[in-house]
Amino acid sequence: MYDICKSKFKKAALFLSVSYLINMGAAVLLQCMGIVDIFQILPITHLIMLVNTAYTIGLIHYEAKQLGNELARKFRYPMYLIMCFALSELSVYYIRKFQQTSVFLPLGTLLFILMLIWIQVSQYYEQCIQKQKLIYFQKLANIDMLTEAMNRNAYENMIRYLDEQELELHTTGVVLLDLDNLKEINDNFGHEKGDEALKLAISVSARLFNRNRIVSGSVETNLPTFSIKMKKH
């Protein structure tokens, strides 16, 4: 609770939890010393539990609804569930006059754990999806969709990388190729044939060189160019 909640009211939740632990510790100690029967202190313990439960539910609701706390939104239903089952267990315990417990608390604890596992799995799945989306968008930002060669953005990134890597810069060469008369192909045969010519140029270059070395392919002012990164061996 203390980690989930972000408002100043979370300190009171911590105080109530500590109070409950102190009460339980004192009850056990007094029982062991033979001063007080632990059953005589149970009403005080249960009162602290009720106050803690009511405050926790109110705090989670406030964090989720009023403050828009994302963690509180995810964990509020498991918290509501365990609190309701705990109250049901307490009610049954009093109805049976402290003679027998029920299955409410074990069942609520099991469901609470299962819901926490589901939340963690969902969060991991969402993170994987976001990571895949990021990789996909990074690819779109650096790949020319027509030729599937790396675009000018990738070319400029490579130039910046070489500027920062002195050793790589001294052992790397760049070949710039220019395709002539592509405008005539577009005018006489249509832009589809022009696109095919551009893709054919990239394909031929890929056969001559390692495709991973073709770092840019672009068309600017009707002058299609692409560059090939050559490393000295």
Side-chain angles (χ1 to χ4, degrees):
M1 278 295 299
Y2 195 81
D3 292 333
I4 293 175
C5 297
K6 306 299 182 183
S7 68
K8 60 182 180 180
F9 302 111
K10 67 179 183 179
K11 294 182 179 180
L14 180 62
F15 173 77
L16 288 171
S17 299
V18 172
S19 300
Y20 174 75
L21 293 176
I22 293 174
N23 175 267
M24 289 296 297
V28 172
L29 181 61
L30 292 173
Q31 174 75 24
C32 293
M33 295 174 64
I35 299 175
V36 178
D37 188 347
I38 193 171
F39 285 97
Q40 295 177 342
I41 309 178
L42 275 181
I44 300 176
T45 304
H46 293 159
L47 178 61
I48 297 175
M49 289 175 58
L50 288 173
V51 174
N52 195 4
T53 300
Y55 189 85
T56 299
I57 292 176
L59 180 59
I60 286 286
H61 183 79
Y62 172 76
E63 290 273 346
K65 290 291 186 178
Q66 301 298 324
L67 301 184
N69 187 332
E70 190 63 29
L71 278 176
R73 287 178 179 175
K74 290 180 179 179
F75 286 96
R76 61 176 172 171
Y77 292 116
M79 293 298 295
Y80 293 163
L81 178 73
I82 190 64
M83 293 297 179
C84 290
F85 273 85
L87 290 176
S88 299
E89 175 75 19
L90 185 60
S91 300
V92 172
Y93 190 56
Y94 270 90
I95 292 172
R96 293 177 177 177
K97 301 184 184 300
F98 312 114
Q99 297 299 319
Q100 187 179 0
T101 59
S102 69
V103 297
F104 282 110
L105 189 58
L107 180 60
T109 303
L110 177 61
L111 293 176
F112 178 73
I113 293 173
L114 291 176
M115 291 182 73
L116 290 184
I117 293 174
W118 173 255
I119 290 174
Q120 294 300 322
V121 172
S122 299
Q123 286 181 335
Y124 178 76
Y125 177 75
E126 289 177 4
Q127 290 174 357
C128 290
I129 294 296
Q130 292 300 323
K131 185 177 180 180
Q132 291 299 320
K133 285 183 179 180
L134 180 61
I135 294 173
Y136 175 71
F137 288 129
Q138 286 178 339
K139 182 178 179 181
L140 287 182
N142 292 285
I143 297 295
D144 177 66
M145 301 305 294
L146 175 63
T147 62
E148 296 186 356
M150 300 177 74
N151 58 21
R152 177 165 182 166
N153 183 55
Y155 173 78
E156 291 177 350
N157 289 337
M158 180 62 69
I159 294 298
R160 284 194 293 269
Y161 169 78
L162 292 175
D163 285 339
E164 296 171 357
Q165 304 292 329
E166 184 175 353
L167 180 61
E168 286 275 343
L169 184 62
H170 289 181
T171 59
T172 300
V174 176
V175 178
L176 296 177
L177 303 179
D178 179 19
L179 297 183
D180 293 329
N181 303 321
L182 185 64
K183 185 177 185 304
E184 295 181 6
I185 297 177
N186 289 332
D187 292 342
N188 295 325
F189 302 100
H191 286 276
E192 290 185 0
K193 293 299 181 182
D195 293 343
E196 290 180 10
L198 190 56
K199 288 190 287 187
L200 180 61
I202 294 291
S203 177
V204 171
S205 300
R207 287 198 293 267
L208 294 176
F209 303 96
N210 186 333
R211 171 168 279 277
N212 293 329
R213 292 178 178 172
I214 303 178
V215 298
S216 177
S218 62
V219 179
E220 297 179 12
T221 62
N222 296 323
L223 294 176
T225 63
F226 54 95
S227 57
I228 302 171
K229 176 189 173 188
M230 302 290 294
K231 292 198 67 173
K232 181 180 179 181
H233 297 283

